[in-house]
């Protein structure tokens, strides 16, 4: 793999972490961070998808607030993360992510289709960016706040999968039910619920939240889905 940072906007301090697959080319995947920035965990997740053959780009979502944010999951890092999240202009972030999608699509390493995947804040932004762009597929991991944007469900016509932990203390099951209801008459959405998992179950950087069996199952499902939608 060949990871490095690239500039996404010529006149703005907007960068992204790019991880190339061993073959040097493949389908594209925009991977959207949690509130802790494009930190070591998110870069490792990106590298794992690059190892699976995808050209992965992680845009710096908070660049307008605190460029190149790279926080730990400790108390100071979490305090800064929530501060940035509270100040984030979601509509502007979606516009920035649409730029990132276009940049990735035009990279010479990207052979064909482009998908999007996100975690926590990134799950919500993956949902909204898929609704606002022409990505070919979307994966949303426990996207907090999606239930506040259900008017966008009609605009998300690509295949999409949602991962939710049944013990998520940030996303109540009533909100998950609302999301499912919004897609009830559409055949493009698949929902996976994890009975033993809570919020952030994919993040091994947070031992109190990480749930390995659910994380492994969800990643396998995500990889199978992305292979079907982007590689064939």
């Amino acid at each position: 793999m060949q990871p490095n940072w690239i500039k996404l906007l010529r006149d703005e301090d907007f960068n992204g972490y790019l991880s190339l697959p061993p073959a040097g080319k493949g389908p594209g995947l925009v991977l959207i961070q949690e509130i802790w920035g494009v930190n070591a965990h998110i870069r490792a997740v990106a590298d794992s998808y690059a190892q699976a053959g995808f050209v992965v780009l992680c845009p710096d979502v908070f660049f307008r607030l605190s460029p190149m944010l790279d926080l730990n999951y400790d108390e100071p890092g979490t305090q800064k993360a929530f501060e940035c999240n509270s100040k984030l202009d979601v509509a502007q972030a979606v516009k920035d992510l649409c730029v990132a999608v276009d940049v990735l699509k035009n990279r010479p390493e990207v052979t064909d289709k482009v998908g999007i995947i996100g975690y926590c804040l990134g799950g919500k932004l993956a949902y909204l960016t898929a609704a606002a762009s022409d990505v070919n597929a979307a994966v949303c991991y426990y996207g907090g706040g999606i239930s506040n944007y259900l008017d966008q469900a009609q605009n998300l016509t690509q295949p999409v999968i949602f991962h939710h932990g049944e013990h998520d203390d940030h996303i109540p099951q009533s909100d998950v039910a609302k999301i499912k209801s919004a897609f009830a008459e559409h055949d493009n959405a698949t929902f996976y619920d994890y009975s033993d998992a809570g919020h952030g179950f994919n993040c091994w950087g947070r031992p109190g939240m990480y749930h390995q069996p659910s994380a492994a199952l969800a990643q396998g499902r995500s990889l199978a889905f992305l292979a079907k939608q982007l590689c064939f």
Side-chain angles (χ1 to χ4, degrees):
M1 295 179 297
Q2 307 167 49
N4 64 290
W5 285 88
I6 63 170
K7 194 169 182 64
L8 303 181
L9 279 175
R10 180 177 300 175
D11 300 321
E12 298 277 0
D13 190 21
F14 185 25
N15 300 294
Y17 177 80
L18 180 71
S19 189
L20 301 179
K25 60 182 180 179
L29 183 63
V30 174
L31 192 151
I32 311 177
Q33 63 181 65
E34 305 166 312
I35 63 174
W36 288 266
V38 184
N39 63 2
H41 168 70
I42 288 297
R43 297 194 301 273
V45 175
D47 291 344
S48 73
Y49 279 95
Q51 187 69 50
F54 297 93
V55 177
V56 187
L57 176 63
C58 299
D60 180 15
V61 170
F62 287 148
F63 82 96
R64 297 182 185 276
L65 298 168
S66 185
M68 305 290 284
L69 197 66
D70 181 352
L71 298 172
N72 295 320
Y73 298 109
D74 55 12
E75 185 175 347
T78 298
Q79 182 177 349
K80 176 68 173 179
F82 275 93
E83 177 186 327
C84 286
N85 186 50
S86 69
K87 296 178 180 178
L88 182 69
D89 183 332
V90 172
Q92 181 62 59
V94 171
K95 291 178 182 178
D96 293 335
L97 288 166
C98 286
V99 169
V101 169
D102 288 339
V103 168
L104 185 59
K105 286 175 59 178
N106 288 290
R107 293 285 305 184
E109 302 92 345
V110 174
T111 55
D112 192 7
K113 299 175 182 178
V114 170
I116 194 164
I117 185 171
Y119 302 82
C120 191
L121 166 66
K124 176 179 71 177
L125 292 177
Y127 165 83
L128 292 171
T129 304
S133 70
D134 59 352
V135 294
N136 299 100
V139 179
C140 305
Y141 273 78
Y142 34 81
I146 288 178
S147 61
N148 297 323
Y149 296 90
L150 295 180
D151 59 322
Q152 293 299 309
Q154 63 184 347
N155 298 323
L156 205 161
T157 58
Q158 311 92 326
V160 56
I161 60 176
F162 295 88
H163 298 294
H164 290 108
E166 292 186 4
H167 299 285
D168 194 319
D169 55 1
H170 294 277
I171 307 173
Q173 286 298 294
S174 58
D175 283 358
V176 176
K178 291 176 183 177
I179 302 169
K180 290 178 178 179
S181 178
F183 285 91
E185 297 182 3
H186 305 269
D187 60 2
N188 62 314
T190 301
F191 291 85
Y192 293 111
D193 301 315
Y194 299 86
S195 60
D196 297 320
H199 193 73
F201 66 79
N202 186 72
C203 185
W204 57 82
R206 290 181 282 169
M209 292 185 169
Y210 178 56
H211 189 255
Q212 186 274 333
S214 299
L217 182 56
Q219 185 175 34
R221 287 167 167 169
S222 297
L223 283 168
F225 170 77
L226 292 168
K228 179 180 179 180
Q229 301 302 329
L230 304 182
C231 304
F232 296 101

